[in-house]
Amino acid sequence: VQRKRTRISEENLHISALAIVGDGKGSILLLKAGQAHPLSFRRGNLLLPAVILEFGEWPFTAAKRAVTLQLDGAEPLEPKFREIQSYMGSHWDLCFVYDFDGRKAPKLSAKPPYVEASYYRLSALPRDAIALDHLEVIEGMAAAKQS
């Protein structure tokens, strides 16, 4: 089967850096998007700290930018590369996933437009409250760990 080739553009490719901030006890940090979040479909959802890479930006730098832009107290956190994930939906997502040791910054809090930063046990995530694309990243991470 021959597939039609599509040119990559801003409309059909998103390259993101996502942060998995762990507490060392099996929990990860999720942010709750407030009513001021610029993307209305994100409001009220739980999200991983994440950003879309700027043209030419190193994913490591973008991951650091995600935590420092979205979390107060994140300055001592340093990213450690975990994996790359890829998803195809309404557009193609390439996700650079980085681990951060949240124990190195024990007083993390959400910066606007986020209204809450809380740790959730991986074994008991509130799946219905997590944005679907971020839940896919979390589940992809867990699946990779099991294989």
Side-chain angles (χ1 to χ4, degrees), residues 55-92:
F55 185 79
E57 185 177 24
W58 189 27
F60 176 94
T61 304
K64 181 80 174 171
R65 179 168 58 89
V67 297
T68 56
L69 280 177
Q70 298 170 8
L71 293 166
D72 268 327
E75 289 73 20
L77 298 180
E78 287 297 323
K80 180 181 174 195
F81 178 74
R82 181 186 193 107
E83 63 191 21
I84 297 173
Q85 297 183 16
S86 178
Y87 299 96
M88 185 67 180
S90 60
H91 57 266
W92 182 27

Side-chain angles (χ1 to χ4, degrees), residues 7 12 16-17 21 30 33 35 40 44 51 54 58 60 68 82 87 94-95 102 105 109 115 120 129 136 144:
R7 289 194 173 270
N12 66 18
S16 304
V21 180
L30 295 172
Q35 290 305 307
S40 61
V51 294
E54 296 173 1
W58 189 27
F60 176 94
T68 56
R82 181 186 193 107
Y87 299 96
L94 287 178
C95 304
S109 60
V115 294
Y120 294 86
E136 286 176 336

Side-chain angles (χ1 to χ4, degrees), residues 22-33:
D23 68 352
K25 301 175 194 168
S27 296
I28 61 170
L29 186 124
L30 295 172
L31 298 166
K32 185 172 185 177

Side-chain angles (χ1 to χ4, degrees), residues 98-112:
Y98 285 83
D99 285 324
F100 290 81
D101 184 351
R103 296 171 296 180
K104 294 182 178 177
K107 295 183 181 182
L108 295 172
S109 60
K111 288 183 180 179

Side-chain angles (χ1 to χ4, degrees), residues 2-32:
Q2 192 169 8
R3 285 198 292 191
K4 181 183 173 197
R5 295 178 65 75
T6 301
R7 289 194 173 270
I8 294 174
S9 69
E10 281 187 36
E11 291 79 35
N12 66 18
L13 174 64
H14 291 172
I15 304 174
S16 304
L18 294 103
I20 306 297
V21 180
D23 68 352
K25 301 175 194 168
S27 296
I28 61 170
L29 186 124
L30 295 172
L31 298 166
K32 185 172 185 177

